[in-house]
Every structure is written in C-alpha cells, then in structure tokens.
Amino acid sequence: MFSGLGRLVVRRPWWVIVAWVIAGTAVISLAPKLTSTSDEASFLPSRYESIKASDLQEKQFPQQQNVGAIIVFQRADRARLTAADSADVRKVADRLARQKIPQVQDVSAAPVAPNKQVQTAIVAMPKLNNPDDTAQQDAVQKIRDDLPSALRGTDLTAGVTGSAAQALDERESADRAGVLVAVGTIVIIVVLLLVIFRSPLIALLPVVLIGLIAPLATGLIASANELFDMKTDSSIRELLTVVLFGVGTDYILFLLFRYREALRAGEDAKSGMVHAVERVGEAIASAAGAVIVAFAALALSTLGMLKSMGPALAIAVFVTLLAGLTLVPAVVSLLGTRIFWPSRSWRAEPSGAGFARFGALLARRPAVWALASAVFMGALTAGALGYRANFDLAGSSLPKSKESMVAQRDMERGFPAGTTDPSSVYLDATDGRPLDRAAVTALQKRLRAVDGVGSVDPATLSKDRRTAAYEVVLTDPPASDDALDTVRTGLRPAADEAAPAGTRALVGGTTAVYVDINKAVDRDYAVVFPVAALCIMIILGLLLRSLVAPWYLLLSVALGFGATLGATSLLFQQIGSQPGLMFMLPVIMYLFVVALGTDYNILMVSRLREEAREGREPRDAAGTAVRHSGPTIAAAGVILAGTFATLMLAGNATLSQMGFALSFGIAVAAFVMAMIFTPALTALIGHTAWWPGHGDRGRPSPRTPAATTAPHSPADPPAHPPQDPPGP
C-alpha cells in the first residue's frame, strides 16, 4: 500500500501539490471563524446542579443584574477611609453610571469594608451569552480609561477586577502568548533543523508546508465545531500551533532520515523517496493513528472543553498525516538531493557515530539499561502523589501584575475573598405553591451557620413567589480547595436538609461549577483513559501482529506519564509553591505523552521488527535499531519538546504548566522510553515479544540494500553518491 502511494506521489508530484492547493482554498474560503470560550460553566452538561441553578436563575430572575466588574477604592497612603473618602467613592460611581457606557447597567457604591481599608463599587452588566462578544471587556477598558480623571482631586486610587476585567486581561495576555508561542515554535524548529541537517531548505520546509496547511486544519475544525455545536477552549489556538508544527516536523523528520538512509545505501533520489515512504509510511500512519484515536477518545468526556478539544486536535493530526505522506514526499521528490544543500553529509554515514556506540552498549547489557530507565521513571512517579487540582483557569493563568489581580488582592484587605464572585443558592417550589416566608428565613439562617460562609444576603423572591434566591459570600477565594470543600460538604448538604417538603435547593455560582467540573473530571479519568489505552493497544497489536509487545510498550508509556506528572507536581507545587496544577492537565498530558510518546515507541519497535526480519538476534537487532532510529527519535524528540516548551514563554501559569509537562513528557518518551526502555526490554524478551504473529520472521526484501541494515565500520568505503535525475 505505502509502496504504491510512494510511487504515485513521486511520479505525479505536481498533481499532489495542486490537489492540496485546491482543497485548502476551498476549505479556508467556506469555513466559519474558529471561536473559543473560557467560561467553565459553558462546558458542563445540563444534568449538573450548578447548571440547573443557572437555568433556574435565567427563568425566574431574568432581570437579576450580573456583577460584571468591581471597582476597588483605597487611599493612596493606604490609611483608613474617611467619611469624605466614601463620599468621593459615591461621586465617582455616580459619574460612571451617568456616562451610559455600553453594557454597563449600573455602577453603585457598596458599603465601606468593616476595617475601613477599602470600598467597592459594583458594575452591573447583563449575563454574557456569546463568549466571543468582547463588549463587556471594552466597557471595562472604558472604565479604566476614565477612572484617573474621575479620581482627580481625591486621595483615592482604584483598580477594576471581576469576571469582565479578568476576561479583558486574559485576552491581552492570550494575544501576547499566541505571538510568542508561534514565533518561538518557528525559531526552535528552524534552528534545530539547521543544526541537524545544516540545510536551510530542510529548516524552512516544515515552516512553509505546515504554515500552509495550518489554515486548512483550522478551517476543518471550525466547520466541525459549527456542525456539531461544540465549544472550543480558549487555549486551543496555542495547542494547535505546537501540535501542527511539532507533530508535522516529527513526521517530516521520520521521512527525511529514512530518505537519507536510502540515498546513502546507493538509491537514486526518486526511488529513495519511494523506499522511504514504503518503509516509514506504516510507522507514521500507525503513530498518527494512535494519536488520533487518543485525541478522539476525549469525545467521551463529560466536559465540553475536552469533548471539543479532542476532535479538534485529532483533525489537526489527521491533516498533518496526509501532508506527511503526500505533500512532503511530493515537494522533496521535486527537489531531489538538492533538499540537503549545501551540506554533503547525506552522501555517507559518519563513522563511529554516537548512537552506534550506545546501541552496542545497550545490546551487551539490556537488563541494566531496562532496570535503570524503569527506576528513573518510577522515582519521578512518586512525586505524583502530591498532585493537587487547580480550577481557577482565569485567575491562575494571569500574571500577578495584571490590574484585575492587583485589585482583587487589594479588595481582600477588607472583604472576604469570595466577594468577587459570590455563590448563589435557590429555593424552588416543586409543588407549584408559593414559598412559605418562614421556610425562606429558616434557610437563610441555616446557610449562615455553614463553616466557610462569610455572609448571606436576605432572599430575593421571584414574581410568582415560588423561587427564593440567596447571595452567599464565602470566606475563601472562589476557586480554592477550601471554597470547593465549603460548597461540596457544607453548603449543598445544608441547603438540601433545610429545604422543606415540596421544594428543592440548588447551589450555583462559579465555585459550584468547579465542584461539578471536579466530579466530571473524575468520571472522565475512569472512562477516557481506559478507552484511549485500549485503542492504542489495538493499533499496536495490528501493527506488530503481536499480543505481547503492546503490553510492555503501554507499560513504558504509563511510566512516562507518571514520571511527567510527578516532575510537574514537584516543580510547580513544591518548588514553585503554586496552589495546584490545571485540573485538566492530567487528561491532556496523558493523551499527549501516551499518544505522542507511542509515536517514538512505534518507530523504534518497527525498526526492531525490521532488523529481526533481516535475521538478527534480539540483542543485535536492538543495538542496530538504536543505531539507525536513534538519531531520528532524538531529533524529533528535541524539536517536539522544544515546540511544547514555547508555551512557557506565554507568561501564563496555565500554559507554563502545560508547556513544561508536555515538553518533559516528550523528552522522557524519546530519550528514556523509546531509546532505552523499549529496545532493552525487547532484547530481554527476545522472540516471544512478537508472539503469536512472529513478526520477526522474514527474509530480506529484494528492495532492501544490504547497506541499509548491515553495520558500517570506519573502514567501510562510503556509498557511491547518487546523482539527481535531470530536471525536477
């Protein structure tokens, strides 16, 4: 199959290129815009209590004002506020309210804090239904621009925080992050490819080709989102950049290394590319298949952000796979050996290469190398025991110097930390009768008695008097573990117990959303992980025709996952003192490390099988496979880890955690799992590794030159350099 594909592409390269241009133009011109959201509540299904509470609020209290932003006032000298200062706060609030800023329903001064340190003004805004609407963020920017003149002549300073203010700061941070990630990714790919191949054409090849197919992949993802009514997480753009460029560069490297190997063995440029596609095509397709099914498994997630992220990344990898097997060979076949210009190192393999020496060491003592790599990964896995989930995607992703973060810290000098985002409790009559006043008051008293509750405002009744709404301010920050515990073990049980017969109690708000997300993630761990693992094992079994190898290959990937989670927890929680890791990081990390890590395992084990089919014994096959596939895996691992590491340039705690975890996981997958653990364990298991298909049995293919698999010695004469055929 792949031999035929290679011949077709090499014989008709211009047809392939034109087909890609036509397909790309059609998709890009017809696809809708790719939209995203950072509203965690929009990702939960309707069966969760926090979503039921939100729906009830929209039905019974449509006129209820939403706290879009909070202006935090304090004296410039940090002294206690005076009566005159409070009067100035009211004047500023009234002035802003009279300006009729779009999306601002009202600006009203709140009472001064009990300790007189700060005072706030509440900026009421309508509930935001369209996550792509930036009108409220623009309103916050207008308030920030007007505050200096409004405060002139007073002793006050002020800052704006709250959900709309955080969204504005996050948008500005994300725009910067996107530019840094894109530039950093391209620079890393170009520099590393220049170092590896010493060819500017190869260095620019991934940047140009993947840069051209990226809009095509984005258009397909946007179309799928619109077709299936999916919402995309706000971090998807940065992830798409590194996935497309990182994975795409990997597949280009797999192909180019095998192409160069065929040229060194004496094949001409055209037949060498056909040989490369034939030999590495199955490994690339299987590796991409593992990544695609792992990403697609996220469609089983409860959370909308993961449900949409998985198919989006799967589409991106599928497009990259098609380009790697068709567009890349077509372009390279047109260039021939000129692709390596000005370097001539492609003509002969360097003698005494480091990977040849390492392969020989591993072949002599596979048990030592297998044990050492397992101990290394196992020791780091112990660090995963300290993992804590952090649900504050907006707050934790912002630099501490952003105005919304500074103003929030200032406000906490005088008010409970939960003031910025109160929880909501609703008492709703299910029997159709109006609520009893005594029951409404009794519930308020019961809620006030819950540990972790700072205050409970008197209930607001709906027009039909069948629903009562309570605003509950927690003493802890809305996304903290303590706040989540208050809602999970205090507020919800207390509300349920106090609700009289014929009524129901619902707890909503951001903290309740985080509690439900936590529950949903636990469910996803139990479903998505096993399904992804099973699919990858099936792919490995079909590729290797073995029931044995997939088990220890997946074991190696599981150790790599544990080591990555442990190292990330140690770095960010123990050393960096962060409250926890992004709650969905283990899911993303599992899929990236397992799926992309399996890429390298597949490439290595495919070469192990190929060497065994050539008649080599297990240890000799392991050493030779490391010698030939080691440079490819090392180069691909360094580049992919480097592209993921660019996420750390964003100045964003969430993306920094993701960048470190994924880059570290890829490095472990390439240099520990695929380079050491897999070949060493395969050498120890021997022929049994290929049972029952015995994929190690076979005769040398008549198309395979002897120089491809026979070890070179320093005394070997270099292969005769093939000449390009005339013309392209």
Side-chain angles (χ1 to χ4, degrees):
M1 171 185 173
F2 291 101
S3 176
L5 177 63
R7 287 193 296 271
L8 174 64
V9 170
V10 169
R11 288 174 183 171
R12 299 285 188 270
W14 284 111
W15 289 16
V16 173
I17 294 172
V18 170
W20 273 94
V21 171
I22 293 174
T25 303
V27 170
I28 294 170
S29 60
L30 298 175
K33 179 183 177 183
L34 179 63
T35 59
S36 61
T37 178
S38 59
D39 179 13
E40 292 88 348
S42 67
F43 297 122
L44 278 170
S46 59
R47 67 176 179 271
Y48 284 93
E49 183 175 335
S50 58
I51 305 304
K52 291 179 180 179
S54 177
D55 293 341
L56 181 63
Q57 182 263 316
E58 290 184 6
K59 176 183 177 182
Q60 294 289 68
F61 302 94
Q63 79 289 350
Q64 185 175 6
Q65 291 181 332
N66 179 56
V67 179
I70 300 175
I71 307 174
V72 182
F73 298 87
Q74 59 184 332
R75 286 183 60 88
D77 58 7
R78 312 281 283 187
R80 291 161 64 92
L81 292 169
T82 65
D85 294 328
S86 292
D88 288 335
V89 169
R90 291 190 293 272
K91 290 178 183 178
V92 172
D94 291 341
R95 174 176 171 175
L96 292 173
R98 289 194 302 270
Q99 290 182 358
K100 302 298 182 183
I101 300 172
Q103 292 292 309
V104 174
Q105 297 172 325
D106 187 31
V107 181
S108 57
V112 68
N115 62 5
K116 306 292 186 181
Q117 292 293 320
V118 293
Q119 187 170 357
T120 62
I122 307 302
V123 181
M125 296 179 176
K127 185 172 181 178
L128 187 63
N129 294 317
N130 181 8
D132 297 306
D133 187 355
T134 61
Q136 293 189 2
Q137 300 169 34
D138 296 338
V140 170
Q141 186 60 61
K142 173 65 174 172
I143 291 173
R144 286 177 173 175
D145 293 340
D146 292 347
L147 269 176
S149 60
L151 292 171
R152 193 172 295 121
T154 72
D155 296 323
L156 302 172
T157 62
V160 186
T161 186
S163 58
Q166 283 191 347
L168 172 62
D169 291 340
E170 187 177 13
R171 184 182 73 185
E172 294 173 350
S173 181
D175 291 342
R176 173 178 173 271
V179 173
L180 287 174
V181 169
V183 173
T185 298
I186 292 173
V187 168
I188 285 177
I189 289 175
V190 170
V191 170
L192 290 177
L193 286 178
L194 276 174
V195 171
I196 294 168
F197 288 99
R198 298 189 292 280
S199 166
L201 291 178
I202 291 180
L204 293 175
L205 184 66
V207 176
V208 173
L209 294 185
I210 299 170
L212 291 175
I213 68 170
L216 169 62
T218 302
L220 290 174
I221 293 167
S223 298
N225 283 355
E226 185 176 78
L227 180 63
F228 297 104
D229 192 26
M230 297 188 298
K231 296 181 176 67
T232 300
D233 177 57
S234 57
S235 63
I236 190 66
R237 295 182 186 276
E238 287 76 20
L239 279 177
L240 276 176
T241 298
V242 295
V243 166
L244 284 167
F245 279 95
V247 175
T249 303
D250 267 11
Y251 296 161
I252 291 174
L253 284 174
F254 291 173
L255 194 69
L256 285 179
F257 270 98
R258 201 59 188 254
Y259 177 54
R260 187 175 67 178
E261 187 178 328
L263 294 177
R264 287 172 173 172
E267 299 213 31
D268 62 68
K270 297 288 186 181
S271 62
M273 179 51 67
V274 175
H275 175 85
V277 174
E278 176 187 3
R279 285 306 179 96
V280 85
E282 185 180 28
I284 291 177
S286 300
V291 178
I292 289 169
V293 299
F295 285 162
L298 283 176
L300 301 174
S301 171
T302 304
L303 291 176
M305 70 178 74
L306 297 179
K307 188 187 292 287
S308 61
M309 180 186 294
L313 296 178
I315 290 171
V317 174
F318 179 72
V319 173
T320 306
L321 168 65
L322 292 180
L325 293 179
T326 57
L327 182 60
V328 175
V331 172
V332 175
S333 67
L334 288 174
L335 294 172
T337 57
R338 291 186 293 272
I339 190 71
F340 298 104
W341 179 88
S343 172
R344 296 180 178 271
S345 62
W346 60 270
R347 295 173 180 266
E349 184 175 3
S351 60
F355 286 99
R357 292 195 298 270
F358 177 69
L361 288 173
L362 185 141
R364 282 198 296 268
R365 297 181 178 273
V368 172
W369 288 101
L371 180 62
S373 57
V375 168
F376 170 77
M377 291 187 288
L380 284 177
T381 299
L385 298 176
Y387 164 75
R388 296 188 303 273
N390 178 28
F391 295 88
D392 187 8
L393 293 187
S396 64
S397 65
L398 287 173
K400 302 302 181 185
S401 58
K402 286 292 185 180
E403 181 174 333
S404 60
M405 304 303 292
V406 173
Q408 181 171 321
R409 291 195 300 272
D410 289 338
M411 189 181 67
E412 291 175 7
R413 294 175 58 220
F415 294 101
T419 303
T420 55
D421 205 343
S423 295
S424 301
V425 178
Y426 298 95
L427 182 64
D428 183 47
T430 57
D431 57 7
R433 293 184 295 180
L435 292 172
D436 179 68
R437 174 67 68 176
V440 172
T441 304
L443 179 57
Q444 180 184 3
K445 292 180 179 178
R446 181 68 183 89
L447 296 177
R448 284 177 176 170
V450 174
D451 289 338
V453 170
S455 64
V456 181
D457 286 350
T460 301
L461 292 176
S462 60
K463 290 182 178 179
D464 60 9
R465 302 184 64 83
R466 295 176 183 174
T467 306
Y470 306 83
E471 185 174 279
V472 180
V473 175
L474 306 181
T475 57
D476 300 296
S480 65
D481 288 341
D482 289 339
L484 268 65
D485 287 340
T486 297
V487 170
R488 184 189 301 111
T489 63
L491 209 55
R492 279 182 171 171
D496 289 339
E497 293 170 4
T503 66
R504 62 171 178 167
L506 298 173
V507 178
T510 301
T511 305
V513 168
Y514 292 143
V515 171
D516 290 339
I517 286 178
N518 194 11
K519 189 186 304 181
V521 168
D522 289 343
R523 177 265 178 196
D524 289 349
Y525 287 163
V527 174
V528 176
F529 282 16
V531 169
L534 178 62
C535 291
I536 291 174
M537 284 193 68
I538 291 174
I539 289 176
L540 290 172
L542 293 174
L543 169 67
L544 304 175
R545 285 80 170 173
S546 168
L547 295 178
V548 177
W551 286 99
Y552 68 81
L553 291 177
L554 208 59
L555 170 64
S556 72
V557 175
L559 284 172
F561 167 78
T564 303
L565 182 59
T568 308
S569 298
L570 289 172
L571 178 64
F572 287 95
Q573 293 181 188
Q574 306 301 323
I575 299 176
S577 300
Q578 292 191 8
L581 302 181
M582 179 181 58
F583 73 90
M584 64 179 180
L585 182 62
V587 177
I588 296 174
M589 194 176 70
Y590 173 87
L591 293 171
F592 274 91
V593 174
V594 169
L596 298 181
T598 303
D599 274 14
Y600 304 133
N601 265 343
I602 286 175
L603 190 67
M604 177 59 73
V605 81
S606 296
R607 191 61 187 245
L608 283 165
R609 183 185 61 178
E610 183 179 329
E611 298 300 335
R613 282 176 170 175
E614 299 293 340
R616 300 183 186 280
E617 288 302 310
R619 293 194 179 200
D620 189 17
T624 307
V626 169
R627 176 191 181 187
H628 285 296
S629 294
T632 308
I633 293 173
V638 168
I639 289 176
L640 187 57
T643 56
F644 278 124
T646 59
L647 291 170
M648 301 177 69
L649 300 174
N652 176 315
T654 299
L655 290 178
S656 293
Q657 291 176 5
M658 191 183 301
F660 172 81
L662 297 182
S663 60
F664 184 85
I666 293 301
V668 169
F671 293 97
V672 182
M673 289 160 43
M675 203 92 72
I676 301 175
F677 189 82
T678 293
L681 206 54
T682 303
L684 286 174
I685 296 174
H687 296 288
T688 306
W690 312 104
W691 182 87
H694 299 294
D696 58 335
R697 296 177 183 174
R699 295 180 179 179
S701 168
R703 283 191 46 78
T704 306
T708 302
T709 56
H712 297 283
S713 68
D716 288 339
H720 179 69
Q723 301 297 317
D724 285 337

